[in-house]
């Protein structure tokens, strides 16, 4: 059965339709999209698995005209070169200011297609059809779009909201296990930040070892609801509220940089980062040992490898580069209890001590 979330923003609002039924998508789609020309952007892997399904569905609608573009799969797909190719391909295909871009894929496709839509002819309509857990529970909601440049990740980007998000968990049947787990890290994050009951639900689900399609629909709904609530209150990361979603991310970004984005997927780095944040919270007596244990237990139950060794001095400088430290203090999201987090500045020396214990060579 369809689940619907409305994201209410100051200037506009849009729906997230969670449904395995294409008719429910088409009804919502035709309500918000007032064109018959579509530019579907996907990547090479998703092209093989799901592009035909979507283009057939669209072409069956009377008068619909569908053009497609396929980018390389993986993080390298979010490049300036690919963005430039998309502009060329769109112009060649007669995509104009009234056409609509459809992103069919994971976070990489969503980010570049969203940035393309934000900038092509000064902005055209855009619909997200995410196909990874990460994109279904995080990146397709909230309007952050970006590409990578030679100097780093997400360097060029825009806040640009979609007209509609359609989440069909059937797409997950082809997603490799490692990418399923990767996305689940952000789902567990929502439980740590907002909801003890959701934590218990997830824990039971991991214990059973099999994730049913009902489980997927439920955790996607919960995750999108939380993300939508935060985005509604702090769309452009101005009030600081949206920053709570960075639980585990300060450590994760440093780990991804230290390993050249090769060793860990983002969610895998976030899982380790959340445990580090819990360790820091314990050291600062923000949380009790039981809470640290609850954080560790669910991450292990979900199958994450939480063991990591880093050069602690270098790692601290990476953390400080990512999150500018103020008077020798770095801002972290800390956990008080499952479902309760706070933003707090932590002294460099404390971060370094916990880092040595957590990931130092002589731990
Ligand atoms: N905009 C945001 O708010 C936001 C938030 C978090 C992450 N991101 C971005 O998202 C990106 C990561 O997203 P991701 O984890 O979805 O990675 P991804 O888009 O690279 O997808 C992971 C892999 O799965 C493949 N794939 C996608 N759907 C599939 C399916 N249904 N079946 C089989 N294979 C499939 C892809 O081709 C790729 O190889 C990063 O670039 C990150 O910066 C953006």
């Amino acid at each position: 059965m369809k689940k619907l979330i409305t994201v209410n923003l100051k200037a506009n609002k849009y729906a997230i339709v969670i449904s395995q039924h294409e008719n429910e998508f088409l009804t919502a789609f035709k309500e918000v999209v007032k064109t018959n020309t579509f530019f579907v952007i996907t990547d090479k892997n998703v092209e093989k698995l799901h592009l035909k399904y979507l283009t057939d569905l669209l072409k069956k609608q009377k008068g619909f005209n569908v053009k497609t573009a396929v980018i390389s799969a993986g993080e390298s797909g979010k490049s300036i070169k690919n963005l430039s190719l998309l502009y060329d391909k769109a112009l060649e295909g007669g995509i104009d200011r009234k056409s609509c871009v459809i992103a069919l894929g994971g976070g990489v496709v969503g980010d570049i297609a969203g940035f393309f839509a934000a900038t092509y002819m000064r902005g055209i309509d855009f619909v997200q059809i995410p196909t990874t857990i990460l994109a279904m529970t995080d990146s397709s909601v909230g309007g952050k779009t970006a590409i990578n440049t030679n100097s780093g990740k997400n360097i060029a980007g825009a806040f640009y909201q979609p007209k509609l998000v359609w989440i069909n968990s059937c797409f997950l049947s082809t997603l490799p296990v490692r990418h399923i787990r990767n996305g689940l890290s952000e789902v567990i994050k929502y439980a740590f930040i907002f909801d003890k009951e959701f934590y218990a639900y997830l824990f039971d689900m991991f214990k059973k070892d099999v994730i049913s399609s009902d489980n997927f629909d439920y955790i996607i709904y919960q995750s999108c609801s939380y993300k939508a609530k935060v985005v509604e209150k702090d769309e452009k990361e101005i009030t600081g509220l949206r920053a709570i979603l960075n639980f585990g991310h300060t450590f994760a970004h440093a780990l991804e940089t230290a390993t050249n984005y090769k060793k860990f997927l983002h969610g895998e780095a976030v899982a380790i980062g959340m445990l580090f944040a819990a360790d820091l919270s314990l050291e600062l007596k923000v949380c009790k040992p039981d809470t640290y244990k609850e954080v560790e237990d669910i991450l292990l139950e979900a199958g994450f490898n939480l063991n990591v060794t880093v050069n602690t001095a270098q790692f601290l400088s990476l953390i400080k580069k990512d999150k500018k430290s103020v008077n020798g203090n770095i801002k972290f999201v800390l956990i008080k209890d499952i479902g309760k987090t706070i933003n707090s500045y932590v002294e460099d020396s404390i971060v370094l001590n916990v880092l040595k214990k957590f990931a130092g060579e002589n731990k």
Side-chain angles (χ1 to χ4, degrees):
M1 228 196 20
K2 174 177 83 170
K3 288 195 163 77
L4 190 73
I5 297 168
T6 305
V7 186
N8 284 299
L9 300 168
K10 279 200 188 92
N12 58 338
K13 65 175 179 179
Y14 60 93
I16 304 168
V17 174
I18 303 168
S19 168
Q20 299 179 6
H21 301 286
E22 47 212 37
N23 285 343
E24 290 176 335
F25 155 65
L26 286 169
T27 305
F29 186 66
K30 287 176 185 170
E31 262 169 37
V32 293
V33 172
K34 302 291 173 211
T35 181
N36 56 9
T37 308
F38 302 96
F39 189 45
V40 180
I41 302 175
T42 194
D43 74 21
K44 282 203 165 123
N45 293 336
V46 182
E47 176 195 22
K48 282 184 221 129
L49 298 161
H50 304 295
L51 182 62
K52 186 170 180 312
Y53 159 75
L54 182 66
T55 51
D56 284 353
L57 178 67
L58 294 172
K59 283 176 186 165
K60 267 194 248 156
Q61 311 309 306
K62 205 166 157 226
F64 276 21
N65 173 18
V66 185
K67 302 283 171 193
T68 60
V70 180
I71 61 164
S72 40
E75 195 57 38
S76 64
K78 265 168 70 173
S79 65
I80 290 197
K81 190 171 154 233
N82 278 346
L83 182 68
S84 177
L85 290 172
L86 289 177
Y87 294 133
D88 295 343
K89 188 117 201 213
L91 273 174
E92 257 170 51
I95 300 302
D96 65 17
R97 292 180 58 188
K98 294 214 165 98
S99 308
C100 174
V101 172
I102 301 180
L104 176 73
V108 164
V109 168
D111 275 13
I112 189 171
F115 190 61
F116 167 82
T119 49
Y120 184 70
M121 300 194 171
R122 300 195 180 86
I124 66 173
D125 283 356
F126 160 54
V127 166
Q128 289 262 23
I129 306 185
T131 61
T132 63
I133 274 273
L134 182 131
M136 291 179 185
T137 57
D138 187 5
S139 62
S140 67
V141 178
K144 278 191 185 176
T145 73
I147 56 161
N148 304 328
T149 67
N150 291 339
S151 33
K153 221 174 115 82
N154 298 333
I155 295 296
F159 283 98
Y160 196 66
Q161 303 291 345
K163 286 272 162 198
L164 177 75
V165 183
W166 176 34
I167 304 180
N168 181 349
S169 56
C170 292
F171 289 123
L172 297 176
S173 63
T174 54
L175 190 66
V177 170
R178 188 175 175 202
H179 283 286
I180 297 263
R181 188 181 307 118
N182 178 53
L184 289 172
S185 174
E186 301 281 355
V187 174
I188 297 169
K189 182 192 77 179
Y190 292 117
F192 288 153
I193 303 174
F194 299 109
D195 192 338
K196 214 169 183 146
E197 277 177 33
F198 189 38
Y199 172 96
Y201 178 93
L202 291 173
F203 207 110
D204 279 355
M205 185 184 85
F206 294 134
K207 271 204 140 85
K208 282 187 195 124
D209 240 27
V210 182
I211 306 180
S212 69
S213 88
D214 281 352
N215 288 144
F216 274 129
D217 282 350
Y218 179 72
I219 65 178
I220 290 165
Y221 176 78
Q222 288 294 101
S223 302
C224 289
S225 303
Y226 283 123
K227 177 105 190 229
K229 267 188 206 127
V230 173
V231 170
E232 280 169 358
K233 289 193 187 126
D234 185 16
E235 182 182 351
K236 298 197 173 161
E237 234 169 74
I238 291 169
T239 68
L241 181 72
R242 200 164 168 165
I244 56 168
L245 297 177
N246 287 336
F247 181 56
H249 282 60
T250 305
F251 182 97
H253 288 152
L255 187 60
E256 288 177 289
T257 309
T259 50
N260 254 331
Y261 291 91
K262 296 222 158 72
K263 191 165 175 199
F264 300 94
L265 294 175
H266 179 65
E268 293 167 344
V270 168
I272 304 171
M274 291 192 289
L275 189 64
F276 176 74
D279 208 358
L280 205 52
S281 310
L282 187 61
E283 176 73 21
L284 293 162
K285 300 197 165 48
V286 169
C287 78
K288 299 199 174 102
D290 285 357
T291 304
Y292 175 87
K293 179 98 180 41
E294 284 171 306
V295 169
E296 187 179 35
D297 285 351
I298 195 166
L299 292 170
L300 289 173
E301 196 66 51
F304 288 103
N305 179 356
L306 302 171
N307 236 319
V308 69
T309 304
V310 299
N311 176 323
T312 49
Q314 269 176 18
F315 201 82
L316 181 67
S317 53
L318 281 179
I319 289 181
K320 287 170 72 168
K321 221 170 155 189
D322 184 51
K323 297 268 153 198
K324 282 178 203 76
S325 88
V326 180
N327 302 327
N329 295 303
I330 310 166
K331 204 168 194 181
F332 274 90
V333 182
L334 300 175
I335 188 158
K336 282 176 93 171
D337 193 359
I338 302 301
K340 278 193 200 123
T341 48
I342 52 163
N343 274 314
S344 179
Y345 281 100
V346 184
E347 277 176 36
D348 284 12
S349 56
I350 298 178
V351 176
L352 187 60
N353 279 342
V354 176
L355 204 50
K356 282 181 183 159
K357 235 179 1 138
F358 185 82
E361 272 141 18
N362 303 316
K363 65 183 166 182

